[in-house]
Amino acid sequence: MTVEELRGNSEGGDRNYDNFPVGMRVLAVDDDPICLKLLDGLLRKCQYHVTTTSQARAALKMLRENKDRFDLVISDVHMPDMDGFKLLELVGLEMDLPVIMLSANSDPKLVMKGVTHGACDYLVKPVRIEELRNIWQHVIRRKKFDTNKQGKSTYEDKALQGHGDVCQGHQNTGTTDQNGKLNKKRKDEEDESEDTGNDHEDPATQKKPRVVWSIELHRKFVAAVNQLGIEKAVPKRILDLMNVEGLTRENVASHLQKYRLYLKRISSVATQQANMVAALGGKDAAYMRMSTLDGFGDFRTLTGSGRLSNPAFASYTQGGMLGRLNSPAGINLRNLASPTVVHPSHAQTLNNSTGTLGKLHPAVSPASQTASVFQGVPSSLELDQLQQNKSAMHIGDFNPMDDSRIFGAPSAFTDARALAINSNSNLTGVPNNSLMLQGNSQQILAGGGFVDQSSFPSESFNRDVGVSSKFVDHGRTNENWQSAVQLSKFPSNALAPNDSFSQGQLPLSNVRDNNSSARPHQQNSPLGFSSTATTAAPLEDSRGEIQCQEGLVSSSVQNLSQASAQRWGVSKQSYSLNSNNSFSTLNPQASPPLSQSMGQTGITDRRMDMCLTDQSGVGISSFLQHSQVENPTTGSRTRSGEDYMLEQIRPQGGFVPNSYDSLDDLMSAIKREPNGSMFDGDMGFDAYQFGSCI
Amino acid sequence: MERNQLRRKLANMRQSLFEQGYLDEQFTQLEELQDDANPNFVEEVVTLFYRDSARTIQNIEQALEKNPLDFAQLDSYMHQFKGSCSSIGAVKVKSESTQFRNYCKEGNAEGCRRTFHQLKKEYAALKKKLELYFQYARQAGPDETACRPK
């Protein structure tokens, strides 16, 4: 054994790896002295530097004292003082060292458990020296990917674990390219936000396989963030809590960044406009989704009047969305998840409200239902900000709609929720929108949670349509954040907002009419919204439309659609793309064109988003649908139905697309109010300058 | 010479241990780990095994006297014991412990006791053989005897 080498190497984290793996510092933990001795002998034979202990606590202490003291940890599963998996988790979380599990039990369930808890490898006793000779690869791999992160890790992890959402997502999206694109987009969008988590990432520069933030993943993410508290949520901890194989800290970090942006957006948008925007833009989508989730019904209603008719749908969306949103958002809407969560409740409310979407008022009724949901949600979410803003906004705005309800919910989202809420609010009065919008921009995407929202009953969404517009605006969020905010403003009109979205938000306007056509805003939003987070995917229905915002919506919408805030990050980007693209077209009435354009752009964006999040898949699908549906104005929120499905399914990807459909509706709705005053009319949104949004 | 004889004897002993299924290749692995830096590695490990597992055996015995039997606890003990056995390559003992665990899972108290009795027998038998083996090994000379003939 080259003690000298080891000693020399022990100086610091940066050991001298000339002779690597010789001298690799291993910490072996096993309560069985025989096994420990054997391990010791085997490892020394491999020329590693070995430290042994039979106490897990002692091991932890050693590790904590000096994080650079060891390269690798080998731990037994069955230990009296601490469960091996627990130790594994802690080490991974705190020190981020590779950990190999060891056990006499080769039960696949245990092996799986090891994998899911983050173990690099699982060895069965008795251990053979051949197996130990290769363990150094885990150290190298981790180091290497540590910097690369994100994409690579996923691959690596995949290789290592061949499992994990990430991988799957990745595969699903199959959009490595897109990912790459998304990455870039993300980067752009994230410019503002400091990458808190991404310490080492080298984001856009590397073309790593993209992690697709599926709804599931995003939900987990949001849950983790919520659990930790947005302030304290650091990637590593989040990663640990999420416990997903193949997901790297980088991935989480960047996603967190996006989520934060999203939340920021939501809160800023909280002001009604945001809501409206949410509804409008894709971004809003995200949030619309969120809110839409609840309000989705609204949203949808907004966009697709047809959809609204599905109160159940709305409620469904809401519930679903909420659920989704809630889950991620519930925990920490922070990132988007929250927003999404918010939406659901909101969405519901929205949906409820969407009934009346036309004005949001009526629609509000459904929203009322959701309102409760949301209301509950808001609390969980960071919506506070939004809520306050929004609730004020929306509720007031919506009036008819149970704005309060909507608000309640949206508020919850406040952050991301804002988006969602916005969307929801749209329905109700677009309070959601504001909420959504606010959060939308960023959050809305975060609203990835929204994404779920997308599922919101478009109906509710419709109401939100105004909101969605918000979202949509959000979508634009990056750019149109402001607008999104404005959109959120709409939300008050909630329904109107869609109209006001006129920009793209038209869908909202449609929504208004339809209430169910809440989609309109969605649509609108998608167009413009997609710009950012709105990706929240046009609330399912509107998602497509909202996706218009592609950028916005995409983000938000997608998020929404994805429900898994994951899209959030992605969506945002894509949304922006989408929204940008679509938006322009949307405006005029573009709902159809929007949808189309959006569809195209949105779709592409979505794709990107989709790829991004994988989850967005939903969004995308919805998006696609939306685009297809493009029959905008047709109040055919039926599309929303489709979109909805899409949204639901894909909150992630389809984020934007949804908006399109809704866009159409929105457009029509908005058309009514030619200039962004769409919302004014009904929603009383500030005619969010949709155009501006866009 | 005596030394050679000893060595041959040792080799034979070793061979028979393998052939009779007392030890498996894991034991060989232990032997491979023995080198100049660890001249008595194998013996150390085996000694450690008997010392540590004696405690486990005692625990199991006590647990078997309880009524009703706590199968989960028994299984847990045996799991640990099994891990140790496999680490040194004590095949027969290990298979008995596997059987014991099966009975635990079934909740078969009688089966557990029976198996445990058998396990103790094997455990003791191997211990004797190994003790003798190491005795010869020490006599035959540190390096060559302990290691596998090259």
Side-chain angles (χ1 to χ4, degrees), chain A residues 32-33 35 37-38 45 128, chain B residues 25 30 32 44 52 84 87:
Chain A
D32 185 346
C35 296
K37 186 167 174 73
L38 178 64
K45 192 86 180 179
R128 302 174 62 81
Chain B
E25 57 186 18
L30 290 182
E32 279 175 359
E44 282 169 14
D52 186 73
S84 307
S87 294

Side-chain angles (χ1 to χ4, degrees), chain A residues 232-244:
Chain A
K232 299 217 189 107
V234 284
K236 210 140 178 202
R237 290 188 188 275
I238 297 173
L239 185 61
D240 180 71
L241 280 176
M242 282 179 70
N243 205 5
V244 169

Side-chain angles (χ1 to χ4, degrees), chain A residues 5 9 14-24 140:
Chain A
E5 276 178 22
N9 287 338
D14 213 49
R15 310 166 30 113
N16 163 27
Y17 279 125
D18 291 352
N19 300 321
F20 195 79
V22 169
M24 185 174 78
I140 293 288

Side-chain angles (χ1 to χ4, degrees), chain A residues 387-431:
Chain A
Q387 293 179 348
Q388 297 172 359
N389 301 323
K390 301 198 207 173
S391 359
M393 307 194 323
H394 307 310
I395 302 191
D397 296 331
F398 292 140
N399 303 316
M401 297 215 3
D402 289 320
D403 293 7
S404 47
R405 283 191 312 200
I406 308 187
F407 268 86
S411 337
F413 289 127
T414 38
D415 291 331
R417 306 194 251 102
L419 294 176
I421 307 191
N422 292 324
S423 28
N424 290 326
S425 26
N426 289 329
L427 297 180
T428 46
V430 187

Side-chain angles (χ1 to χ4, degrees), chain B residues 28-89:
Chain B
T28 313
Q29 290 246 331
L30 290 182
E31 289 175 328
E32 279 175 359
L33 289 177
Q34 188 153 304
D35 54 17
D36 292 343
N38 291 312
N40 299 316
F41 187 74
V42 188
E43 190 177 352
E44 282 169 14
V45 176
V46 172
T47 308
L48 191 60
F49 168 74
Y50 275 103
R51 201 185 322 142
D52 186 73
S53 56
R55 217 178 341 119
T56 312
I57 298 263
Q58 213 175 356
N59 287 339
I60 297 177
E61 262 182 359
Q62 282 175 359
L64 279 174
E65 282 164 18
K66 287 201 204 131
N67 220 344
L69 290 185
D70 182 354
F71 289 110
Q73 175 72 291
L74 285 170
D75 186 73
S76 171
Y77 281 139
M78 196 47 80
H79 172 80
Q80 197 184 342
F81 181 77
K82 185 181 169 193
S84 307
C85 292
S86 54
S87 294
I88 67 162

